[in-house]
Amino acid sequence: MPVRVRLDLAYDGTAFNGWATQPGLPTVEGTLTEALTTLARTPIQLTVAGRTDAGVHAAAQVAHVDLPLAAWTGAPGRSDLPPARAFARRTNALLRRVRGPQPDIVIHTAELAAPGFDARFSALARTYRYLISDAAAPRDPLTRTSVLWHDRALDVGAIHRAGTAITGEHDFLAFCKPREGATTIRTLHHLSVTRRPDGLIAIEVRADAFCHSMVRALVGSLLAVGEGRAPEDHLASRLAARTHDQMQVAPAHGLTLMRVDYPPRAELAARAHLTRRRRDE
Amino acid sequence: MPVRVRLDLAYDGTAFNGWATQPGLPTVEGTLTEALTTLARTPIQLTVAGRTDAGVHAAAQVAHVDLPLAAWTGAPGRSDLPPARAFARRTNALLRRVRGPQPDIVIHTAELAAPGFDARFSALARTYRYLISDAAAPRDPLTRTSVLWHDRALDVGAIHRAGTAITGEHDFLAFCKPREGATTIRTLHHLSVTRRPDGLIAIEVRADAFCHSMVRALVGSLLAVGEGRAPEDHLASRLAARTHDQMQVAPAHGLTLMRVDYPPRAELAARAHLTRRRRDE
């Protein structure tokens, strides 16, 4: 009998062509699928909360996988650890074997999923963060793979105002690479822009879901406002115009998936059912 | 007439075989020397405050270089920036050309050095930080090149007590890879061990100077104490025994040079004179 396992994981997207498996290219899904297939001794299929693009990172990604019960419990007596700890440890050991001693993918926790849980369709919201070192901030070579270095000084207040003007439920066509038959209506719960104590500008966005390249398209337009190349109503105007012509997409490497929110246990199945009906993404 | 230029810089040591030039190997000094030689149109020689080992990083390294005045001022009218800003910008542009758009070496500031300044011999103290993610801390793939992942839980209090027991002026032979004719007497001004809010353990050490591999040897012994494999007087005992047998050297990648301290302008030359007389390192 198969069991559904929830995986909470993190990765450095630098060396990967994104989450989704692509033949002949290193991907997070491909690498993790290989490890879990080895562990389960049978082909497995991952489902993920946020399908990150090439170069995008995750501090707290969520995925699920259906496995034979024996793959979850492991060989009897092989470990004194609780099954969840032992499973995460075995998976991390396999990842270390292919990605080095301090690998770029790490399973933080594994657990038996609550009934009705679906990593993708049960999710209520995704939170992403985009980090920028502008002309007013120091360049730190140690974080250069997850921070955009931007040559000009940016007006944090203007970016914040331009961003918060478009929160709420809208058709985000202007910020979506369109896909046949997919809706581009999303609810942007939250957008905030702050200058952190370390000098970096952090743009944090939370939505029920994001369409393809949406965060990077939002950031691209926010950079234009921050530089003074576009007025503060720039995003609101683009949103209203519902055109994705001249979409300015910010580089991938500044973007990190920070959190995925799920409803309480009792509402997981109902939420998944609702999401599946409302959209195909 | 040559001018002496002080450079404050940072680098990610991952891809380098340390600071010091080695024929045929990528080094920080080699890369920077090449850029500055291009800029000066004449061979130059760098002097550095902390000669970091292969894989060791720097958040705030200091170096100096003697250059023809024309290389400092640049071609007349080429830039509206003050010479110091323009020089740093030209150097960074050359580094980007060889190390990519967000390079692993960055010049933070360049300035004409105060009279008597010597990046190595005028320095009063160097501060290094070693970061550890032990069993009690989460693994963050995005910082894996500058944090040691340690499988066991570490006792921060025990490490702190073991470390602070050896501050002061001592013969640190037990923690030095010995070099012909070089003294191993150093003053360890400060050693502190803290569990940061993000869960990482930070070991911070400041000394007048460190001999080769000294910080990593101190950390290696501190890890033994933290794991409970060695008693809290482990470092004090080794120090007293003055033997470098069985030196346990922690991996390089957890180590970062954080700061170099210099005396006030008026004392720079006297300090350099004193240091040169006292030691050859």
Side-chain angles (χ1 to χ4, degrees):
Chain A
M1 199 192 88
V3 292
R4 176 159 293 189
V5 174
R6 170 181 167 156
L7 299 169
D8 286 75
L9 65 147
Y11 47 85
D12 173 353
T14 308
F16 296 107
N17 285 69
W19 170 269
T21 299
Q22 293 181 60
L25 293 175
T27 64
V28 182
E29 185 184 28
T31 305
L32 196 51
T33 298
E34 216 168 287
L36 292 169
T37 296
T38 301
L39 217 147
R41 296 178 192 183
T42 178
I44 59 92
Q45 174 81 44
L46 282 159
T47 299
V48 77
R51 287 163 58 97
T52 49
D53 285 346
V56 175
H57 318 290
Q61 175 70 280
V62 184
H64 79 245
V65 61
D66 296 327
L67 293 172
L69 178 61
W72 171 250
T73 53
R78 258 194 68 189
S79 170
D80 294 337
L81 292 173
R85 288 278 309 277
F87 185 86
R89 182 174 286 215
R90 288 201 304 276
T91 311
N92 282 326
L94 287 168
L95 290 170
R96 274 201 300 276
R97 206 183 289 169
V98 287
R99 307 296 302 176
Q102 296 196 184
D104 46 7
I105 311 179
V106 171
I107 306 294
H108 282 153
T109 58
E111 63 185 45
L112 286 179
F117 178 83
D118 183 292
R120 178 180 176 194
F121 288 112
S122 298
L124 287 176
R126 283 89 174 160
T127 303
Y128 283 88
R129 184 191 65 192
Y130 200 99
L131 287 180
I132 304 163
S133 167
D134 71 344
R139 304 293 191 239
D140 178 2
L142 283 174
T143 56
R144 75 191 185 288
T145 55
S146 55
V147 176
L148 174 69
W149 293 3
H150 194 77
D151 273 344
R152 303 185 183 202
L154 295 171
D155 180 339
V156 171
I159 299 176
H160 183 78
R161 289 186 295 274
T164 51
I166 59 157
T167 56
E169 188 183 66
H170 305 285
D171 182 346
F172 281 91
L173 181 64
F175 302 98
C176 291
K177 284 188 185 166
R179 246 199 295 189
E180 196 72 41
T183 173
T184 48
I185 295 172
R186 295 288 188 275
T187 303
L188 187 61
H189 296 301
H190 170 88
L191 192 156
S192 69
V193 185
T194 48
R195 172 88 62 184
R196 307 197 312 188
D198 62 7
L200 297 184
I201 297 170
I203 302 177
E204 198 176 276
V205 289
R206 188 176 74 240
D208 56 347
F210 292 92
C211 55
H212 188 223
S213 293
M214 180 169 154
V215 184
R216 292 163 57 198
L218 291 172
V219 173
S221 290
L222 290 171
L223 288 174
V225 174
E227 284 183 23
R229 285 188 288 116
E232 285 187 19
D233 66 358
H234 181 52
L235 281 84
S237 305
R238 288 187 58 86
L239 192 73
R242 296 182 66 257
T243 167
H244 48 263
D245 295 350
Q246 302 174 291
M247 201 162 81
Q248 302 154 298
V249 177
H253 72 274
L255 186 60
T256 303
L257 174 60
M258 298 303 288
R259 203 173 67 240
V260 184
D261 293 317
Y262 293 95
R265 280 176 77 93
E267 296 162 31
L268 286 166
R271 170 72 192 176
H273 182 69
L274 186 72
T275 314
R276 272 202 189 85
R277 279 184 50 190
R278 278 213 310 219
R279 58 183 165 83
D280 65 331
E281 166 70 357
Chain B
M1 200 193 88
V3 291
R4 176 159 294 188
V5 174
R6 171 182 168 156
L7 299 170
D8 285 74
L9 65 149
Y11 48 85
D12 173 353
T14 308
F16 296 107
N17 286 69
W19 170 269
T21 298
Q22 295 181 59
L25 292 174
T27 63
V28 182
E29 185 185 28
T31 305
L32 197 52
T33 298
E34 215 166 291
L36 292 170
T37 295
T38 301
L39 217 145
R41 297 178 190 183
T42 178
I44 61 90
Q45 174 81 46
L46 282 158
T47 299
V48 77
R51 287 163 58 97
T52 50
D53 284 346
V56 175
H57 318 291
Q61 176 70 279
V62 184
H64 80 244
V65 61
D66 296 326
L67 294 172
L69 178 61
W72 171 250
T73 51
R78 256 193 72 189
S79 170
D80 293 340
L81 293 173
R85 288 279 307 279
F87 185 86
R89 181 173 285 214
R90 287 201 305 273
T91 311
N92 283 325
L94 287 168
L95 291 170
R96 276 200 300 276
R97 206 183 289 171
V98 288
R99 308 296 301 176
Q102 296 196 183
D104 47 7
I105 312 178
V106 171
I107 306 294
H108 282 153
T109 57
E111 61 184 46
L112 285 180
F117 177 83
D118 182 293
R120 178 181 176 194
F121 289 112
S122 297
L124 288 176
R126 283 88 174 161
T127 303
Y128 283 87
R129 184 190 65 190
Y130 199 99
L131 287 180
I132 304 164
S133 167
D134 71 344
R139 305 290 193 242
D140 178 2
L142 283 174
T143 56
R144 74 191 185 288
T145 54
S146 55
V147 176
L148 175 69
W149 294 2
H150 194 77
D151 273 344
R152 304 187 182 200
L154 296 171
D155 180 339
V156 172
I159 299 176
H160 184 78
R161 289 186 295 275
T164 50
I166 60 158
T167 55
E169 188 183 66
H170 305 284
D171 183 347
F172 281 91
L173 182 63
F175 302 97
C176 291
K177 286 191 185 163
R179 248 199 293 190
E180 195 73 40
T183 174
T184 49
I185 295 172
R186 295 287 187 277
T187 304
L188 187 61
H189 296 300
H190 170 90
L191 192 156
S192 69
V193 185
T194 49
R195 172 90 61 186
R196 306 198 310 188
D198 62 7
L200 297 183
I201 297 170
I203 302 177
E204 198 175 277
V205 288
R206 189 177 74 240
D208 56 346
F210 292 92
C211 56
H212 188 222
S213 294
M214 181 170 155
V215 184
R216 291 164 57 196
L218 291 171
V219 173
S221 291
L222 291 171
L223 288 174
V225 174
E227 284 184 22
R229 286 188 287 116
E232 285 188 18
D233 66 357
H234 181 53
L235 280 82
S237 305
R238 288 187 58 85
L239 191 72
R242 297 183 66 255
T243 167
H244 47 264
D245 295 349
Q246 301 173 291
M247 200 163 80
Q248 302 155 298
V249 177
H253 73 274
L255 186 59
T256 303
L257 173 60
M258 298 303 288
R259 202 173 67 241
V260 184
D261 292 317
Y262 293 94
R265 283 176 75 93
E267 295 162 31
L268 286 166
R271 170 70 192 177
H273 182 68
L274 186 72
T275 315
R276 274 202 188 84
R277 278 184 51 190
R278 277 213 311 219
R279 57 183 166 81
D280 65 330
E281 165 71 357

Short mmCIF file of all heavy atoms in Angstrom, two decimals, chain A residues 10-12 57 101-104 106 108 138-139 141-142 144 146-149 253 256, chain B residues 10-12 57 101-104 106 108 138-139 141-142 144 146-149 253 256:
data_model
loop_
_atom_site.label_atom_id
_atom_site.label_comp_id
_atom_site.label_asym_id
_atom_site.label_seq_id
_atom_site.Cartn_x
_atom_site.Cartn_y
_atom_site.Cartn_z
N ALA A 10 15.15 22.56 0.71
CA ALA A 10 15.76 23.82 0.29
C ALA A 10 16.77 23.52 -0.80
O ALA A 10 17.34 22.43 -0.83
CB ALA A 10 16.45 24.50 1.48
N TYR A 11 16.97 24.48 -1.69
CA TYR A 11 18.03 24.29 -2.69
C TYR A 11 18.59 25.62 -3.19
O TYR A 11 17.94 26.65 -3.12
CB TYR A 11 17.57 23.43 -3.87
CG TYR A 11 16.24 23.78 -4.49
CD1 TYR A 11 16.14 24.78 -5.46
CD2 TYR A 11 15.09 23.13 -4.10
CE1 TYR A 11 14.92 25.08 -6.04
CE2 TYR A 11 13.86 23.43 -4.67
CZ TYR A 11 13.78 24.42 -5.64
OH TYR A 11 12.56 24.73 -6.19
N ASP A 12 19.82 25.52 -3.63
CA ASP A 12 20.51 26.59 -4.34
C ASP A 12 20.27 26.31 -5.82
O ASP A 12 20.76 25.31 -6.34
CB ASP A 12 22.00 26.54 -4.00
CG ASP A 12 22.85 27.49 -4.81
OD1 ASP A 12 22.32 28.13 -5.74
OD2 ASP A 12 24.05 27.61 -4.52
N HIS A 57 16.00 30.01 -6.37
CA HIS A 57 16.32 29.20 -5.19
C HIS A 57 15.07 28.91 -4.36
O HIS A 57 14.03 29.52 -4.55
CB HIS A 57 17.33 29.94 -4.31
CG HIS A 57 18.40 30.61 -5.10
ND1 HIS A 57 19.38 29.89 -5.78
CD2 HIS A 57 18.66 31.92 -5.38
CE1 HIS A 57 20.17 30.73 -6.41
NE2 HIS A 57 19.77 31.97 -6.19
N PRO A 101 29.60 16.75 -0.53
CA PRO A 101 29.41 16.63 0.92
C PRO A 101 28.50 17.70 1.53
O PRO A 101 27.85 17.45 2.54
CB PRO A 101 30.83 16.74 1.48
CG PRO A 101 31.66 17.30 0.38
CD PRO A 101 31.00 16.92 -0.90
N GLN A 102 28.47 18.89 0.96
CA GLN A 102 27.52 19.91 1.39
C GLN A 102 26.68 20.26 0.16
O GLN A 102 26.93 21.28 -0.50
CB GLN A 102 28.23 21.13 1.98
CG GLN A 102 29.00 20.78 3.25
CD GLN A 102 29.44 21.98 4.11
OE1 GLN A 102 30.10 21.79 5.10
NE2 GLN A 102 29.04 23.19 3.74
N PRO A 103 25.68 19.42 -0.14
CA PRO A 103 25.00 19.50 -1.44
C PRO A 103 24.12 20.72 -1.59
O PRO A 103 23.75 21.37 -0.62
CB PRO A 103 24.18 18.21 -1.49
CG PRO A 103 23.95 17.84 -0.07
CD PRO A 103 25.14 18.34 0.71
N ASP A 104 23.75 21.01 -2.85
CA ASP A 104 22.90 22.17 -3.13
C ASP A 104 21.41 21.85 -3.01
O ASP A 104 20.58 22.75 -3.25
CB ASP A 104 23.25 22.83 -4.48
CG ASP A 104 23.40 21.82 -5.61
OD1 ASP A 104 23.12 20.63 -5.38
OD2 ASP A 104 23.81 22.23 -6.71
N VAL A 106 18.84 20.05 -0.04
CA VAL A 106 18.77 19.46 1.30
C VAL A 106 17.31 19.21 1.68
O VAL A 106 16.47 20.10 1.55
CB VAL A 106 19.40 20.40 2.35
CG1 VAL A 106 19.14 19.90 3.76
CG2 VAL A 106 20.89 20.55 2.10
N HIS A 108 14.91 19.10 4.55
CA HIS A 108 14.87 19.52 5.96
C HIS A 108 14.07 18.54 6.79
O HIS A 108 14.51 18.11 7.84
CB HIS A 108 14.32 20.95 6.09
CG HIS A 108 15.35 21.99 5.73
ND1 HIS A 108 15.03 23.22 5.25
CD2 HIS A 108 16.71 21.95 5.77
CE1 HIS A 108 16.15 23.92 5.02
NE2 HIS A 108 17.17 23.16 5.33
N PRO A 138 26.61 47.59 -0.14
CA PRO A 138 27.89 46.96 -0.46
C PRO A 138 27.67 45.65 -1.24
O PRO A 138 26.65 44.99 -1.09
CB PRO A 138 28.48 46.65 0.92
CG PRO A 138 27.30 46.51 1.82
CD PRO A 138 26.24 47.42 1.27
N ARG A 139 28.65 45.30 -2.07
CA ARG A 139 28.62 44.04 -2.81
C ARG A 139 29.27 42.97 -1.96
O ARG A 139 30.44 43.10 -1.59
CB ARG A 139 29.40 44.15 -4.11
CG ARG A 139 28.97 45.27 -5.03
CD ARG A 139 27.60 45.00 -5.57
NE ARG A 139 27.27 45.91 -6.66
CZ ARG A 139 26.24 46.73 -6.64
NH1 ARG A 139 25.45 46.79 -5.58
NH2 ARG A 139 25.98 47.50 -7.68
N PRO A 141 30.55 39.27 -2.18
CA PRO A 141 30.77 38.15 -3.10
C PRO A 141 30.18 36.83 -2.58
O PRO A 141 29.80 35.97 -3.38
CB PRO A 141 32.30 38.06 -3.19
CG PRO A 141 32.80 39.40 -2.81
CD PRO A 141 31.82 39.93 -1.80
N LEU A 142 30.08 36.67 -1.26
CA LEU A 142 29.60 35.40 -0.70
C LEU A 142 28.11 35.17 -0.93
O LEU A 142 27.64 34.04 -0.85
CB LEU A 142 29.91 35.31 0.80
CG LEU A 142 31.38 34.99 1.11
CD1 LEU A 142 31.63 35.07 2.61
CD2 LEU A 142 31.75 33.60 0.59
N ARG A 144 26.58 36.45 -3.77
CA ARG A 144 26.33 36.93 -5.13
C ARG A 144 25.43 36.01 -5.96
O ARG A 144 24.86 36.46 -6.95
CB ARG A 144 27.65 37.17 -5.88
CG ARG A 144 28.35 35.91 -6.33
CD ARG A 144 29.75 36.23 -6.82
NE ARG A 144 30.40 35.04 -7.38
CZ ARG A 144 30.82 34.02 -6.64
NH1 ARG A 144 30.69 34.03 -5.32
NH2 ARG A 144 31.40 32.98 -7.20
N SER A 146 22.62 34.79 -4.91
CA SER A 146 21.21 34.95 -4.53
C SER A 146 20.80 36.40 -4.36
O SER A 146 19.73 36.69 -3.82
CB SER A 146 20.91 34.16 -3.25
OG SER A 146 21.78 34.53 -2.21
N VAL A 147 21.63 37.33 -4.81
CA VAL A 147 21.34 38.76 -4.70
C VAL A 147 21.62 39.41 -6.06
O VAL A 147 22.69 39.19 -6.63
CB VAL A 147 22.22 39.43 -3.62
CG1 VAL A 147 22.00 40.93 -3.58
CG2 VAL A 147 21.99 38.81 -2.25
N LEU A 148 20.67 40.21 -6.55
CA LEU A 148 20.92 40.95 -7.79
C LEU A 148 21.76 42.19 -7.50
O LEU A 148 21.40 42.98 -6.62
CB LEU A 148 19.60 41.38 -8.44
CG LEU A 148 19.75 42.28 -9.68
CD1 LEU A 148 20.33 41.51 -10.85
CD2 LEU A 148 18.42 42.93 -10.06
N TRP A 149 22.87 42.35 -8.19
CA TRP A 149 23.66 43.58 -8.06
C TRP A 149 23.16 44.56 -9.11
O TRP A 149 23.21 44.31 -10.31
CB TRP A 149 25.15 43.28 -8.29
CG TRP A 149 25.75 42.42 -7.23
CD1 TRP A 149 25.12 41.85 -6.17
CD2 TRP A 149 27.13 42.00 -7.15
NE1 TRP A 149 26.03 41.10 -5.42
CE2 TRP A 149 27.25 41.18 -5.99
CE3 TRP A 149 28.27 42.24 -7.93
CZ2 TRP A 149 28.46 40.60 -5.61
CZ3 TRP A 149 29.47 41.66 -7.55
CH2 TRP A 149 29.56 40.85 -6.40
N HIS A 253 18.39 34.94 -10.44
CA HIS A 253 19.19 34.54 -9.27
C HIS A 253 18.87 35.33 -8.00
O HIS A 253 19.25 34.90 -6.91
CB HIS A 253 20.68 34.58 -9.59
CG HIS A 253 21.24 35.96 -9.72
ND1 HIS A 253 21.21 36.67 -10.88
CD2 HIS A 253 21.82 36.76 -8.82
CE1 HIS A 253 21.76 37.85 -10.69
NE2 HIS A 253 22.15 37.94 -9.44
N THR A 256 14.03 33.84 -4.38
CA THR A 256 14.00 32.65 -3.51
C THR A 256 12.58 32.39 -3.02
O THR A 256 11.93 33.30 -2.52
CB THR A 256 14.94 32.84 -2.30
OG1 THR A 256 16.27 33.11 -2.75
CG2 THR A 256 14.98 31.59 -1.42
N ALA B 10 36.67 42.37 -0.89
CA ALA B 10 36.03 41.16 -0.38
C ALA B 10 36.11 40.09 -1.46
O ALA B 10 36.17 40.40 -2.64
CB ALA B 10 34.56 41.46 -0.04
N TYR B 11 36.18 38.83 -1.03
CA TYR B 11 36.12 37.75 -2.02
C TYR B 11 35.53 36.48 -1.45
O TYR B 11 35.54 36.25 -0.25
CB TYR B 11 37.49 37.48 -2.64
CG TYR B 11 38.65 37.34 -1.68
CD1 TYR B 11 38.94 36.13 -1.06
CD2 TYR B 11 39.48 38.43 -1.41
CE1 TYR B 11 40.01 36.01 -0.19
CE2 TYR B 11 40.54 38.33 -0.54
CZ TYR B 11 40.81 37.11 0.07
OH TYR B 11 41.86 36.99 0.94
N ASP B 12 34.97 35.71 -2.37
CA ASP B 12 34.53 34.34 -2.11
C ASP B 12 35.72 33.45 -2.48
O ASP B 12 36.11 33.38 -3.65
CB ASP B 12 33.31 34.05 -3.00
CG ASP B 12 32.87 32.60 -2.94
OD1 ASP B 12 33.56 31.77 -2.32
OD2 ASP B 12 31.82 32.29 -3.53
N HIS B 57 37.56 32.79 2.84
CA HIS B 57 36.93 33.97 2.27
C HIS B 57 37.39 35.25 2.99
O HIS B 57 37.98 35.18 4.06
CB HIS B 57 35.41 33.86 2.40
CG HIS B 57 34.89 32.50 2.09
ND1 HIS B 57 34.92 31.98 0.81
CD2 HIS B 57 34.37 31.52 2.87
CE1 HIS B 57 34.42 30.76 0.82
NE2 HIS B 57 34.08 30.45 2.07
N PRO B 101 29.75 38.77 -14.45
CA PRO B 101 29.05 40.02 -14.13
C PRO B 101 28.90 40.28 -12.62
O PRO B 101 28.82 41.43 -12.21
CB PRO B 101 27.68 39.84 -14.78
CG PRO B 101 27.55 38.38 -15.08
CD PRO B 101 28.93 37.84 -15.24
N GLN B 102 28.79 39.23 -11.80
CA GLN B 102 28.79 39.43 -10.35
C GLN B 102 29.98 38.63 -9.82
O GLN B 102 29.82 37.52 -9.31
CB GLN B 102 27.46 38.98 -9.73
CG GLN B 102 26.29 39.82 -10.22
CD GLN B 102 25.02 39.69 -9.38
OE1 GLN B 102 24.00 40.29 -9.72
NE2 GLN B 102 25.05 38.94 -8.29
N PRO B 103 31.18 39.22 -9.91
CA PRO B 103 32.42 38.45 -9.70
C PRO B 103 32.66 38.06 -8.25
O PRO B 103 32.06 38.64 -7.33
CB PRO B 103 33.51 39.39 -10.19
CG PRO B 103 32.95 40.75 -10.06
CD PRO B 103 31.46 40.63 -10.23
N ASP B 104 33.55 37.10 -8.05
CA ASP B 104 33.86 36.61 -6.71
C ASP B 104 34.95 37.43 -6.01
O ASP B 104 35.31 37.12 -4.87
CB ASP B 104 34.19 35.10 -6.71
CG ASP B 104 35.16 34.70 -7.80
OD1 ASP B 104 35.69 35.60 -8.49
OD2 ASP B 104 35.38 33.50 -7.95
N VAL B 106 35.60 41.64 -5.22
CA VAL B 106 35.05 42.99 -5.36
C VAL B 106 35.91 43.98 -4.59
O VAL B 106 36.24 43.76 -3.42
CB VAL B 106 33.60 43.06 -4.81
CG1 VAL B 106 33.12 44.49 -4.75
CG2 VAL B 106 32.66 42.22 -5.66
N HIS B 108 35.85 47.17 -2.61
CA HIS B 108 34.86 48.04 -1.99
C HIS B 108 35.28 49.50 -2.07
O HIS B 108 34.51 50.36 -2.45
CB HIS B 108 34.60 47.62 -0.53
CG HIS B 108 33.71 46.41 -0.43
ND1 HIS B 108 33.74 45.54 0.62
CD2 HIS B 108 32.76 45.92 -1.28
CE1 HIS B 108 32.84 44.57 0.42
NE2 HIS B 108 32.25 44.79 -0.72
N PRO B 138 19.62 24.38 11.05
CA PRO B 138 19.18 23.96 9.72
C PRO B 138 20.30 24.11 8.70
O PRO B 138 21.18 24.96 8.87
CB PRO B 138 18.04 24.93 9.42
CG PRO B 138 18.37 26.17 10.21
CD PRO B 138 19.08 25.69 11.44
N ARG B 139 20.26 23.27 7.67
CA ARG B 139 21.23 23.38 6.57
C ARG B 139 20.68 24.32 5.52
O ARG B 139 19.59 24.08 4.99
CB ARG B 139 21.44 22.02 5.91
CG ARG B 139 21.87 20.91 6.86
CD ARG B 139 23.26 21.16 7.34
NE ARG B 139 23.81 20.00 8.00
CZ ARG B 139 24.19 19.98 9.28
NH1 ARG B 139 24.07 21.06 10.02
NH2 ARG B 139 24.70 18.89 9.80
N PRO B 141 21.37 25.56 1.87
CA PRO B 141 22.22 25.35 0.69
C PRO B 141 22.83 26.65 0.14
O PRO B 141 23.91 26.62 -0.44
CB PRO B 141 21.26 24.74 -0.34
CG PRO B 141 20.16 24.13 0.46
CD PRO B 141 20.02 25.02 1.68
N LEU B 142 22.14 27.79 0.35
CA LEU B 142 22.63 29.05 -0.22
C LEU B 142 23.89 29.57 0.47
O LEU B 142 24.59 30.41 -0.08
CB LEU B 142 21.54 30.12 -0.18
CG LEU B 142 20.46 29.96 -1.26
CD1 LEU B 142 19.35 30.97 -1.04
CD2 LEU B 142 21.07 30.11 -2.65
N ARG B 144 26.18 27.34 1.81
CA ARG B 144 27.01 26.16 2.06
C ARG B 144 28.48 26.34 1.75
O ARG B 144 29.31 25.56 2.22
CB ARG B 144 26.47 24.95 1.29
CG ARG B 144 26.74 24.98 -0.20
CD ARG B 144 25.97 23.90 -0.92
NE ARG B 144 26.31 23.84 -2.32
CZ ARG B 144 25.96 24.75 -3.22
NH1 ARG B 144 25.28 25.81 -2.85
NH2 ARG B 144 26.31 24.61 -4.47
N SER B 146 30.23 28.86 2.74
CA SER B 146 30.93 29.62 3.79
C SER B 146 30.55 29.16 5.20
O SER B 146 30.86 29.86 6.17
CB SER B 146 30.65 31.12 3.63
OG SER B 146 29.27 31.39 3.62
N VAL B 147 29.89 28.02 5.30
CA VAL B 147 29.47 27.47 6.60
C VAL B 147 29.85 25.99 6.65
O VAL B 147 29.56 25.25 5.70
CB VAL B 147 27.93 27.61 6.79
CG1 VAL B 147 27.49 26.96 8.10
CG2 VAL B 147 27.50 29.07 6.73
N LEU B 148 30.50 25.58 7.74
CA LEU B 148 30.80 24.15 7.90
C LEU B 148 29.56 23.42 8.40
O LEU B 148 28.98 23.81 9.42
CB LEU B 148 31.93 23.96 8.91
CG LEU B 148 32.25 22.49 9.25
CD1 LEU B 148 32.89 21.78 8.06
CD2 LEU B 148 33.14 22.38 10.48
N TRP B 149 29.16 22.36 7.70
CA TRP B 149 28.06 21.52 8.18
C TRP B 149 28.66 20.42 9.03
O TRP B 149 29.46 19.61 8.55
CB TRP B 149 27.28 20.91 7.01
CG TRP B 149 26.56 21.94 6.19
CD1 TRP B 149 26.57 23.28 6.35
CD2 TRP B 149 25.72 21.68 5.05
NE1 TRP B 149 25.80 23.89 5.39
CE2 TRP B 149 25.26 22.93 4.58
CE3 TRP B 149 25.31 20.53 4.37
CZ2 TRP B 149 24.41 23.05 3.47
CZ3 TRP B 149 24.47 20.65 3.28
CH2 TRP B 149 24.02 21.90 2.83
N HIS B 253 36.50 26.22 4.30
CA HIS B 253 35.39 27.00 3.75
C HIS B 253 34.51 27.68 4.81
O HIS B 253 33.74 28.58 4.47
CB HIS B 253 34.54 26.15 2.80
CG HIS B 253 33.69 25.13 3.50
ND1 HIS B 253 34.15 23.87 3.83
CD2 HIS B 253 32.41 25.18 3.92
CE1 HIS B 253 33.19 23.20 4.43
NE2 HIS B 253 32.12 23.96 4.49
N THR B 256 36.21 33.11 7.37
CA THR B 256 36.16 34.39 6.65
C THR B 256 36.93 35.45 7.43
O THR B 256 36.73 35.62 8.63
CB THR B 256 34.69 34.85 6.47
OG1 THR B 256 33.96 33.84 5.77
CG2 THR B 256 34.62 36.15 5.68
#
